[in-house]
Amino acid sequence: MEFEPLSLGSDDVLEFDMMGLGYIDQSVDHDDVLHDSSATATPTPTGSDVVSSVAVLEHYIPEGDSSLEPCEGMEFESEEAAKAFYNSYARRIGFSTRVSMSRRSRRDGAIIQRSFVCAKEGFRVNKNGKSGSDCEGRAKRPRAETRVGCKAMLVIKIHDSGRWVVSAFVKEHNHELVPPDKVHSLRSHRHVSGSAKSLIDTLQGAGIGPRGIMSALVKEYGGIRNVGFTERDCRNYMRSCKQRTLGGDTQLLLDYLKDRQAKDPAFFFAVQGDEDQCMGNFFWVDPKARNDYTYFGDTVTFDTTYRSNRYRLPFAPFTGVNHHGQPVFFGCALLINESEASFLWLFKTWLMAMSGQPPLSITTDHDRVITLAITQVFPETRHRFCKWHIFKECQEKLSSVLCEHSNFESELHKCVNLSESIEEFESCWLSLIGKYDLREHKWLQSMYADRQQWVPGYLRGTFFAEMSVTQCSDSMNSYFDGYVNASTTLQLFVKQYEKAVESRYEKEVRADYDTINTAPVLKTPSPMEKQAAGLYTRKLFTKFQEELVETLTFLATKVEDEEAGSIYQVAKFGESHKAYTVRFNVHEMKAFCSCQMFEFSGLLCAHILTVFRVTNVLTLPSHFILKRWTRNAKSGVILEEHAGDLLSKSQESLTVRYNNLRHEALKYVDEGITTAEIYNVAMDALQVAANKVATEMQNGRRAATTNTAGREDGFRLGNQSNNTFGDHKRGFETLSADHQDKKMQKLERQLERARRKCEWYRANLLSVLKDIEEQKLELSVKVENIKLRMKE
């Protein structure tokens, strides 16, 4: 029988796949290859050894009827042609094939026999030689048993003529065969064809993920049966491309990270997998980012859509918002694959780098795999999907609807963003999908099922550090604009990342300078505005000022008095149908508004400020001032649980001890001037403390020395911000009794200065209170005049 070479197109490849050759699921272990017990048997190569040979294979099939059944004596030009023929036969019948073994010539080592079997041939054998259920009990995630001892097979031998001849054929199977509509899912019939690879490369280059690519392929080929492979195969192919493209650049990245850590032990990095192979996922975070997280780590955004380098690796930054409303880095990763295991590793590693302190809220892409990982690693954190990405996905999923109904998108935005309550959103949503007959649309159904994770009305009660519930979380995508592009290498990418982070830091320093050295223009005579101007950073004060000025357009009407406080309806003049409900407890100075702006953004809304205005609350209560929005957000001592790792478990710094004492002492002074009685108690307590210190020194306890300027005195209480305990070499010394008297005199002088300072603070406080009372009186007169004019 003669055979002719076949020039295969994209459709033909699907019919004559190489039974596992190509980019098929590489996660399967050694069960796919049975090793013959003969000394001359050689197992068929798998994985990358096979992949390298795919491009040079030529396929042969028998002439004539393509539905031929194998039989003994059938001849083929090559073993590849025999493989293709048997696999084509298996596709028609409904089973999957694989290579069982090969035999080599003892004379020259050439392969002289190949055996092709049903994929269900034999039984699973583990490394210990046990089979079947013997090894299932100890497996953490036991896999389904797929081998049932099927005897179906085709054996070919090479003749002296160089042609391959079928020497044995077993037709019968001991299991059910797969129907035609499901045969495309069998392993040996799944193959990423050349045309499919080209389309995947193009779509991946445009930043489209595996799910989107598979949707495009299904549409292009007219159904999943015609595609010839699964989404998992697509992911494996994309990962293989990334690994081959990366080459040695991952080693350069690893060397860079190790060098950074050697120079700064507080620099943290981790690599998933074997560092020597350099093919895992990377994560790193610098000390500044870890420090910033201790101040601004209440809300975090994690984004994997920023694919700005030539490898199309998801650059996954963790970002937050600082006290100026600017994005701040909390670490970043480069992910070779986006599997659930990868995200689990990344989130656990990031949490470890941040001293195990999870955020209150986290915002991510709308992705099922990310959601599963966050549920496991951050069970108490409020998880939100990025609304900007959902609306972007909407343009793809509802493209036909948008083309047919031009107003649908704007109506959807209004329904999501402008609904003031959950009830209003629910009513608007049902009305919208009913109007456009979209009740059965699967994507909209899934979005509605997830509504609590992306619709603002459901998220208002959680802090996200955004000034508006309609704000989109896409600002991070401009973080690296101008620093990376499509041709940026992995090595250059890291350097450009450093430049971008440094640029952001310079902007933060500039904002700090503007806040400290320039005074904002006040728009009202309100003491509250003046107070806020001295507390908040410039940008946050501007937002607060807008809310405060807007109170002039609102009217507050008391509608009910309760034991826990009063209830007000706050609305703009003539818009009573859009009223907000404010509950205010004047005794505890606590207020809650139905808009929940304070809970969401950390700034008071105009509605609560309106109630403050009509009830003569002239200054902001302290519990409504979030320190993370103030100009002193990064002052004070870092929380101990956060600081432990940042100090790299080193010996406690004397400077840290000094800062702790100074911080507590100043707080003690501030509290000690409240009233004359508390002041007297504070002075007595200071005297007792001074006596205890003197007693300890007389007992021979060691005391810390001061800096070089104070060495001759033994120690000095620092009352200036630049005083540090710097003499580590001299350490500690025992003071003589005569020296103690001298120190006691100095302590007394220190206490006297503290007493005078307390008196000065008290006098100034009384003056401020007097000014406030005068301004309150003036405002009350103005309010009464305005009321009279309104009545007229």
Side-chain angles (χ1 to χ4, degrees):
M1 183 178 296
E2 296 293 325
F3 303 91
E4 295 293 336
L6 174 67
S7 177
L8 296 176
S10 59
D11 295 334
D12 296 326
V13 170
L14 297 178
E15 291 291 326
F16 302 101
D17 180 36
M18 302 312 297
M19 298 159 290
L21 302 184
Y23 300 99
I24 303 302
D25 187 358
Q26 298 173 5
S27 63
V28 179
D29 59 18
H30 301 286
D31 288 345
D32 287 333
V33 180
L34 287 183
H35 298 271
D36 193 283
S37 60
S38 171
T40 59
T42 304
T44 301
T46 59
S48 59
D49 296 332
V50 175
V51 172
S52 62
S53 66
V54 175
V56 298
L57 298 180
E58 289 187 328
H59 302 239
Y60 291 81
I61 62 171
E63 287 183 342
D65 190 0
S66 61
S67 62
L68 285 175
E69 184 176 282
C71 61
E72 292 186 19
M74 183 177 288
E75 297 184 3
F76 297 89
E77 282 290 338
S78 66
E79 63 174 286
E80 288 80 15
K83 292 178 187 178
F85 175 76
Y86 189 56
N87 199 48
S88 176
Y89 162 76
R91 185 182 180 94
R92 294 197 308 271
I93 300 302
F95 67 97
S96 181
T97 65
R98 59 183 173 82
V99 179
S100 174
M101 68 172 186
S102 60
R103 292 186 182 277
R104 295 182 179 271
S105 169
R106 295 182 183 275
R107 184 176 62 254
D108 57 9
I111 295 176
I112 59 175
Q113 179 178 312
R114 287 281 197 190
S115 296
F116 312 118
V117 298
C118 173
K120 292 181 177 290
E121 182 268 347
F123 297 95
R124 180 181 300 162
V125 179
N126 70 349
K127 295 180 179 179
N128 298 325
K130 297 180 180 181
S131 62
S133 60
D134 294 336
C135 58
E136 291 289 341
R138 292 186 298 274
K140 293 182 179 180
R141 299 177 63 181
R143 293 176 288 121
E145 184 62 61
T146 58
R147 300 194 177 184
V148 295
C150 181
K151 301 297 184 182
M153 63 184 302
L154 179 76
V155 181
I156 59 173
K157 292 182 178 180
I158 190 170
H159 280 197
D160 294 339
S161 63
R163 300 171 73 85
W164 291 80
V165 180
V166 176
S167 60
F169 171 62
V170 178
K171 178 180 179 180
E172 292 74 19
H173 297 261
N174 67 347
H175 55 87
E176 292 185 2
L177 299 176
V178 178
D181 62 335
K182 294 182 175 60
V183 73
H184 64 277
S185 298
L186 295 174
R187 178 174 301 280
S188 68
H189 308 308
R190 286 157 40 197
H191 176 68
V192 183
S193 65
S195 59
K197 292 175 184 176
S198 298
L199 185 54
I200 291 174
D201 292 340
T202 300
L203 296 177
Q204 185 182 9
I208 300 176
R211 284 191 302 170
I213 290 176
M214 282 303 297
S215 298
L217 288 168
V218 170
K219 186 175 182 180
E220 176 71 17
Y221 287 97
I224 186 64
R225 291 177 56 187
N226 300 327
V227 173
F229 54 90
T230 65
E231 181 178 330
R232 189 171 185 179
D233 300 328
C234 179
R235 289 180 182 271
N236 289 339
Y237 169 73
M238 294 169 67
R239 182 173 68 247
S240 299
C241 288
K242 292 172 183 176
Q243 290 173 341
R244 291 195 308 275
T245 306
L246 279 170
D249 276 7
T250 52
Q251 184 61 50
L252 295 175
L253 174 59
L254 185 59
D255 293 341
Y256 163 80
L257 296 176
K258 288 181 177 179
D259 180 66
R260 281 291 305 271
Q261 191 177 65
K263 294 178 179 177
D264 187 351
F267 182 88
F268 180 94
F269 83 93
V271 181
Q272 186 184 24
D274 188 352
E275 290 189 8
D276 294 332
Q277 295 179 0
C278 302
M279 281 304 192
N281 298 315
F282 291 82
F283 169 76
W284 70 90
V285 55
D286 58 62
K288 182 184 181 303
R290 301 175 74 185
N291 186 56
D292 285 342
Y293 184 77
T294 64
Y295 301 113
F296 310 116
D298 40 21
T299 184
V300 173
T301 297
F302 174 71
D303 182 70
T304 57
T305 61
Y306 205 111
R307 298 172 174 89
S308 294
N309 54 55
R310 68 178 182 179
Y311 307 120
R312 292 297 171 186
L313 292 177
F315 169 59
F318 292 88
T319 62
V321 181
N322 68 9
H323 52 320
H324 298 291
Q326 301 169 333
V328 59
F329 241 16
F330 296 147
C332 57
L334 284 173
L335 300 176
I336 289 181
N337 66 79
E338 299 178 54
S339 64
E340 181 181 351
S342 294
F343 287 119
L344 278 172
W345 169 83
L346 177 59
F347 292 149
K348 289 178 180 179
T349 303
W350 177 80
L351 188 60
M352 178 177 63
M354 298 305 169
S355 304
Q357 298 295 320
L360 297 176
S361 61
I362 187 170
T363 303
T364 72
D365 303 342
H366 179 233
D367 186 278
R368 181 186 61 85
V369 176
I370 294 178
T371 301
L372 291 174
I374 285 181
T375 302
Q376 297 180 57
V377 182
F378 307 114
E380 303 300 325
T381 298
R382 187 72 161 94
H383 182 202
R384 177 180 68 165
F385 297 140
C386 177
K387 188 174 54 177
W388 180 81
H389 288 115
I390 288 180
F391 281 132
K392 186 177 180 181
E393 189 177 1
C394 170
Q395 296 175 351
E396 174 190 344
K397 300 295 184 180
L398 299 173
S399 56
S400 59
V401 178
L402 298 178
C403 291
E404 186 176 353
H405 305 286
S406 58
N407 294 330
F408 175 79
E409 187 173 14
S410 61
E411 291 184 41
L412 178 63
H413 277 262
K414 290 180 181 178
C415 174
V416 173
N417 292 325
L418 302 184
S419 296
E420 296 290 347
S421 65
I422 294 176
E423 294 76 14
E424 184 179 347
F425 165 78
E426 295 283 354
S427 175
C428 182
W429 179 274
L430 293 175
S431 175
L432 183 64
I433 64 173
K435 176 181 177 180
Y436 292 99
D437 194 22
L438 296 171
R439 292 186 179 87
E440 304 301 322
H441 196 283
K442 292 184 178 180
W443 183 80
L444 283 175
Q445 288 178 345
S446 66
M447 289 297 96
Y448 180 74
D450 293 336
R451 62 192 181 282
Q452 295 187 9
Q453 290 181 269
W454 67 279
V455 175
Y458 293 92
L459 300 164
R460 295 176 189 271
T462 304
F463 182 75
F464 284 99
E466 294 176 3
M467 295 301 102
S468 170
V469 294
T470 61
Q471 179 178 336
C472 293
S473 302
D474 60 340
S475 59
M476 78 195 71
N477 288 336
S478 61
Y479 199 106
F480 292 94
D481 283 357
Y483 293 92
V484 293
N485 53 50
S487 62
T488 304
T489 64
L490 188 56
Q491 183 183 20
L492 181 59
F493 174 79
V494 177
K495 295 180 179 180
Q496 293 296 89
Y497 145 78
E498 287 186 340
K499 291 182 179 179
V501 172
E502 183 63 27
S503 175
R504 288 290 180 179
Y505 176 66
E506 291 177 1
K507 291 180 180 179
E508 179 182 337
V509 172
R510 192 179 306 120
D512 283 336
Y513 177 84
D514 292 340
T515 295
I516 295 172
N517 293 283
T518 60
V521 177
L522 303 183
K523 298 182 179 180
T524 72
S526 168
M528 188 178 293
E529 183 183 15
K530 184 177 181 180
Q531 175 195 18
L535 289 173
Y536 291 125
T537 60
R538 175 60 60 85
K539 182 174 181 179
L540 271 296
F541 170 73
T542 300
K543 178 59 182 175
F544 174 83
Q545 189 179 55
E546 292 174 358
E547 295 294 320
L548 185 64
V549 171
E550 194 176 2
T551 62
L552 301 176
T553 67
F554 281 96
L555 298 175
T557 305
K558 184 188 293 186
V559 296
E560 189 175 346
D561 268 325
E562 297 178 343
E563 184 177 351
S566 303
I567 299 178
Y568 292 83
Q569 291 292 320
V570 181
K572 290 185 177 181
F573 182 77
E575 297 182 4
S576 57
H577 60 288
K578 294 183 179 180
Y580 296 87
T581 301
V582 176
R583 299 177 181 271
F584 178 48
N585 187 325
V586 68
H587 301 293
E588 299 180 1
M589 295 302 292
K590 293 182 178 179
F592 172 82
C593 180
S594 58
C595 78
Q596 294 183 289
M597 176 177 165
F598 179 77
E599 290 75 12
F600 188 80
S601 66
L603 281 179
L604 284 177
C605 61
H607 318 121
I608 291 180
L609 293 175
T610 299
V611 174
F612 282 176
R613 174 170 56 82
V614 300
T615 55
N616 291 328
V617 177
L618 300 180
T619 58
L620 284 172
S622 58
H623 50 267
F624 285 121
I625 303 172
L626 265 64
K627 185 178 180 181
R628 60 117 52 236
W629 289 135
T630 67
R631 57 179 64 196
N632 297 322
K634 299 176 74 171
S635 66
V637 183
I638 300 175
L639 294 178
E640 182 180 354
E641 60 267 24
H642 292 302
D645 287 342
L646 297 183
L647 294 175
S648 303
K649 299 181 180 180
S650 62
Q651 182 181 4
E652 183 182 12
S653 167
L654 294 177
T655 303
V656 171
R657 268 185 262 163
Y658 167 75
N659 287 334
N660 285 337
L661 288 172
R662 182 173 178 273
H663 176 75
E664 290 299 320
L666 290 177
K667 184 172 68 174
Y668 189 67
V669 170
D670 291 338
E671 294 172 352
I673 64 173
T674 307
T675 64
E677 291 77 10
I678 295 177
Y679 167 76
N680 292 330
V681 171
M683 290 298 297
D684 292 340
L686 282 175
Q687 186 61 51
V688 171
N691 293 336
K692 287 185 177 181
V693 171
T695 301
E696 288 297 322
M697 290 188 296
Q698 289 173 357
N699 291 336
R701 294 290 183 89
R702 292 182 175 181
T705 61
T706 61
N707 55 20
T708 305
R711 291 180 183 177
E712 69 277 10
D713 294 329
F715 81 104
R716 177 174 303 173
L717 291 179
N719 62 341
Q720 297 179 354
S721 60
N722 61 349
N723 233 353
T724 60
F725 300 96
D727 191 358
H728 292 270
K729 293 183 178 179
R730 292 187 60 188
F732 302 96
E733 61 182 14
T734 304
L735 302 178
S736 64
D738 294 339
H739 210 179
Q740 300 304 316
D741 294 337
K742 185 177 181 180
K743 296 301 106 185
M744 287 297 298
Q745 294 175 5
K746 290 186 177 181
L747 274 173
E748 290 175 358
R749 290 197 295 270
Q750 292 271 343
L751 290 172
E752 178 61 25
R753 285 197 295 269
R755 185 190 65 78
R756 289 198 299 267
K757 186 178 291 187
C758 288
E759 290 292 347
W760 181 82
Y761 280 139
R762 185 183 180 190
N764 276 276
L765 180 60
L766 292 174
S767 177
V768 170
L769 291 174
K770 183 178 179 180
D771 291 341
I772 290 176
E773 289 297 327
E774 291 177 354
Q775 293 183 15
K776 181 178 178 181
L777 180 62
E778 293 177 2
L779 286 173
S780 298
V781 173
K782 291 181 180 180
V783 169
E784 291 299 326
N785 291 335
I786 292 173
K787 289 182 178 179
L788 290 174
R789 286 197 296 270
M790 290 179 64
K791 291 180 180 179
E792 295 175 356

